[in-house]
Amino acid sequence: ESLVELQNIGKIYWRGDAEETALVSATCSVKPGDRIALVGPSGSGKSTLLHLMGGLDQPSTGSISWPGLGTCENLRPQKVSYIFQMQSLLPPLTVVENVELPLLLGQIEATKARKAALETLNRMRLNTIADKLPEELSGGQAQRVAVARALASRPQLILADEPTGQLDHPTAQHLFDVLLDSLEGSETALVVATHDQAIAERMNTIWQMQHGVMEVVTC
Ligand code: ADP
Ligand code: ADP
C-alpha cells in the first residue's frame, strides 16, 4: 500500500496578481522502503512537492492521498518527519530535548520519549553531545542531530529538503551514510531533494524535476 499518492498534482502560487506555476502535473507515489532522490534546478518545484507530500500545503489541482498513513491531519509529527537544510534545531533546547520534542508533541509519555531520544542519539554516536545547546555544535553535528530528531519517532516517511546543502562534501557524505545506515532494513521511506549527484546515485529511484514537470527514472 502506498504511503502517499499524487494524481495530476498542480500548484500555482499567487504573488499579488501574478501567478507562479510551481508544479504543472505530477503523478507519483511513495511505497514503504522506497529511496527516492528528487533532483532538478533551483525553482523546479522540489520543495513544493515535499510540502504537498507532507500535507503542509494544498495542491491547486489534482488529488493527493495517504492510503498507508491516514488523513492529512494526523501525519505529523509521528508518521512523517522532515529534515530541512537550514539549521532547524530550537536554540534554547539541548540536543536531547530537541530530539524528543516531536515525540512529546505526539503525546508520547515523557519518560518514553526521553528513552527513545537517547537510544537514537546513542545509535548515531551523538550521546556525548546530548546535553549541549545547538549553538555549541558544528554544522555537521547540528545536521546529524536534525537527522536523529527525524528518526526518533520511527516515522513511516522521511521528507528531506537539501539536508546536506550547507555542508562540505565529506561532511555531507558522512551525514548521508549515517542516515542510510539508520534506515537499513527498515520500511521507512525516504524522499530527499538534493543537488548532490553522489547522494542521488545511492537512491533507487530518481524523480527529475524541470520547470514543475516530473520525470520518473527508476534505477
Ligand atoms: P525548488 O525547491 O526546486 O527550488 P520550489 O518548489 O521552491 O522549487 O519553487 C518552485 C517555483 O515556485 C519557483 O518558481 C518559486 O519561485 C515558486 N514559489 C515557491 N514558493 C512560493 C511561494 N510561497 N510564493 C510564490 N512563489 C513560490
Ligand atoms: P535492536 O535495538 O535490537 O536493533 P530494534 O527493534 O530497536 O532492535 O531496532 C530494529 C531496527 O530498527 C534496527 O536496525 C535499528 O537500527 C532500527 N531502529 C531502532 N530504533 C530506531 C529509531 N528510533 N529510528 C529508526 N530506526 C530505529
Side-chain angles (χ1 to χ4, degrees):
E1 192 174 35
S2 297
L3 300 174
V4 51
E5 264 181 36
L6 287 80
Q7 277 288 334
N8 300 316
I9 291 290
K11 179 69 182 177
I12 294 167
Y13 293 107
W14 290 91
R15 275 206 196 101
D17 48 12
E19 56 176 80
E20 178 86 57
T21 303
L23 286 176
V24 177
S25 175
T27 296
C28 55
S29 64
V30 181
K31 299 200 169 52
D34 276 353
R35 300 282 180 268
I36 297 167
L38 192 50
V39 302
S42 184
S44 59
K46 304 183 296 297
S47 299
T48 298
L49 193 71
L50 289 175
H51 286 158
L52 293 173
M53 288 197 294
L56 294 181
D57 199 0
Q58 292 183 350
S60 307
T61 55
S63 67
I64 177 161
S65 62
W66 293 270
L69 297 177
T71 59
C72 182
E73 286 72 39
N74 64 14
L75 296 177
R76 291 206 308 157
Q78 297 269 43
K79 297 176 181 175
V80 179
S81 295
Y82 280 88
I83 305 171
F84 297 100
Q85 169 179 7
M86 302 294 276
Q87 244 280 36
S88 58
L89 303 177
L90 295 177
L93 301 185
T94 64
V95 164
V96 67
E97 288 167 347
N98 266 282
V99 173
E100 73 187 358
L101 188 62
L103 294 157
L104 295 174
L105 293 175
Q107 310 295 327
I108 303 287
E109 195 192 310
T111 50
K112 285 187 182 164
R114 177 58 59 104
K115 187 162 172 275
L118 287 172
E119 270 173 19
T120 306
L121 288 170
N122 268 324
R123 210 177 44 251
M124 294 180 66
R125 300 199 191 85
L126 293 171
N127 41 313
T128 56
I129 61 168
D131 296 321
K132 292 201 172 184
L133 290 169
E135 67 187 17
E136 302 174 88
L137 308 179
S138 70
Q141 281 177 327
Q143 275 308 75
R144 275 162 70 193
V145 173
V147 169
R149 180 176 57 184
L151 291 170
S153 59
R154 298 183 179 229
Q156 285 161 275
L157 174 60
I158 296 177
L159 302 171
D161 199 348
E162 306 275 359
T164 61
Q166 293 178 331
L167 304 176
D168 59 53
H169 192 71
T171 311
Q173 290 302 316
H174 179 65
L175 182 84
F176 224 74
D177 290 342
V178 170
L179 176 58
L180 289 182
D181 285 352
S182 305
L183 293 178
E184 179 82 42
S186 91
E187 285 291 273
T188 301
L190 172 67
V191 182
V192 57
T194 183
H195 279 111
D196 188 329
Q197 188 61 30
I199 287 174
E201 281 167 5
R202 296 172 66 182
M203 304 289 103
N204 313 118
T205 303
I206 294 182
W207 290 353
Q208 173 78 51
M209 303 292 298
Q210 189 77 42
H211 299 305
V213 179
M214 180 198 284
E215 184 192 341
V216 177
V217 185
T218 304
C219 310

